[in-house]
Amino acid sequence: MTAAPLVAESNLQEQLDQKKASSPVDAGTRAMMQKAIEDLAATQITEKAVQAGQMAPDFTAPRVDGAGDFKLAAALQHGPVVLVYYRGDWCPYCNLQLMEYNKYVKRFADYGAQVVAMSPQTAANSKYAGEANPFDFTIVADPDNRIARSYGIAFELPDEINDLYAKFGFDLHIENESERAELPLAATYVIDPTGKITYSFLDADYTKRAEPDAILEALKAL
């Protein structure tokens, strides 16, 4: 298989850190959000989630552009899949991640891989729905986080964080059309054509994301 062209080292995390540093939230709010991250990490969600070396739970998910369903098993017949979980298009860190990954779509494709990004946000509430999708990869919805739950990466938000998000203008009950105030970790998986996960990025801190270069290395190793 043709190797991907050499590229400069990706700096996604540097961009994310800069966005975090420039956040206008006050010190008290920042401390509350940091405590929520630490409390989530203490549940060992990243250790309990589906990991590299395990088989990826199969799934079928609706595309937000209305072009039918995305079926993991069918996609794997054509090559590896880079599965990217994001919280919703209301999340600036998620948008930054997706924009950066979009720059690498062709390089991922050099290894036969396609990208699919998934969030619990409904198509009706997604600004990426229909022809509005600005990315060169598939966006799918995970109603009520059922698929995220099968990967072990869904978690309930503390009431104070859920209330804070609603105050910021994104009520998860509305965005996700769910009774649960639940989100997925911002996880990334590389799944080989046999369905085995060969790379996983799992972090309780939603401001941390997998570097595109790390994904390229995982694909190169297949």
Side-chain angles (χ1 to χ4, degrees):
M1 185 174 293
T2 303
L6 294 175
V7 295
E9 183 178 355
S10 56
N11 66 344
L12 172 59
Q13 194 55 57
E14 181 180 328
Q15 296 176 57
L16 293 165
D17 291 343
Q18 290 173 353
K19 180 168 286 294
K20 182 177 180 180
S22 64
S23 172
V25 299
D26 59 64
T29 300
R30 193 182 294 267
M32 181 197 306
M33 297 171 81
Q34 181 60 37
K35 183 179 184 300
I37 290 171
E38 293 169 358
D39 289 347
L40 178 59
T43 68
Q44 298 188 312
I45 186 172
T46 58
E47 291 84 358
K48 296 174 182 176
V50 173
Q51 311 275 335
Q54 297 178 296
M55 298 300 291
D58 192 20
F59 65 83
T60 297
R63 301 173 190 263
V64 299
D65 63 5
D69 291 335
F70 173 89
K71 299 182 179 181
L72 179 61
L76 290 173
Q77 294 178 12
H78 304 284
V81 168
V82 179
L83 176 59
V84 183
Y85 279 93
Y86 70 103
R87 290 145 37 103
D89 62 31
W90 50 265
C91 170
Y93 300 97
C94 298
N95 293 328
L96 186 56
Q97 177 189 25
L98 297 183
M99 287 189 289
E100 190 68 14
Y101 283 12
N102 199 53
K103 300 175 185 176
Y104 283 75
V105 166
K106 292 182 180 177
R107 297 183 179 109
F108 296 155
D110 284 337
Y111 294 99
Q114 63 174 300
V115 177
V116 58
M118 175 186 298
S119 88
Q121 191 173 38
T122 65
N125 290 319
S126 173
K127 66 184 179 185
Y128 301 147
E131 296 180 0
N133 179 10
F135 306 116
D136 298 319
F137 51 78
T138 300
I139 304 283
V140 299
D142 180 13
D144 209 32
N145 275 301
R146 288 190 293 269
I147 299 168
R149 219 169 290 130
S150 74
Y151 278 75
I153 61 172
F155 63 95
E156 194 86 15
L157 281 178
D159 290 341
E160 62 271 19
I161 299 298
N162 185 42
D163 292 343
L164 180 64
Y165 283 179
K167 180 181 176 182
F168 287 162
F170 23 88
D171 187 323
L172 295 184
H173 298 296
I174 295 174
E175 296 290 342
N176 301 344
E177 294 183 6
S178 172
E179 295 181 358
R180 303 170 185 265
E182 190 178 62
L183 287 175
L185 295 179
T188 298
Y189 292 100
V190 172
I191 307 170
D192 77 10
T194 72
K196 183 178 180 180
I197 297 170
T198 62
Y199 170 84
S200 58
F201 179 91
L202 300 159
D203 199 306
D205 186 343
Y206 60 87
T207 70
K208 307 295 183 185
R209 308 294 169 108
E211 285 286 352
D213 282 347
I215 297 171
L216 279 175
E217 286 300 314
L219 293 172
K220 181 192 258 186
L222 293 180

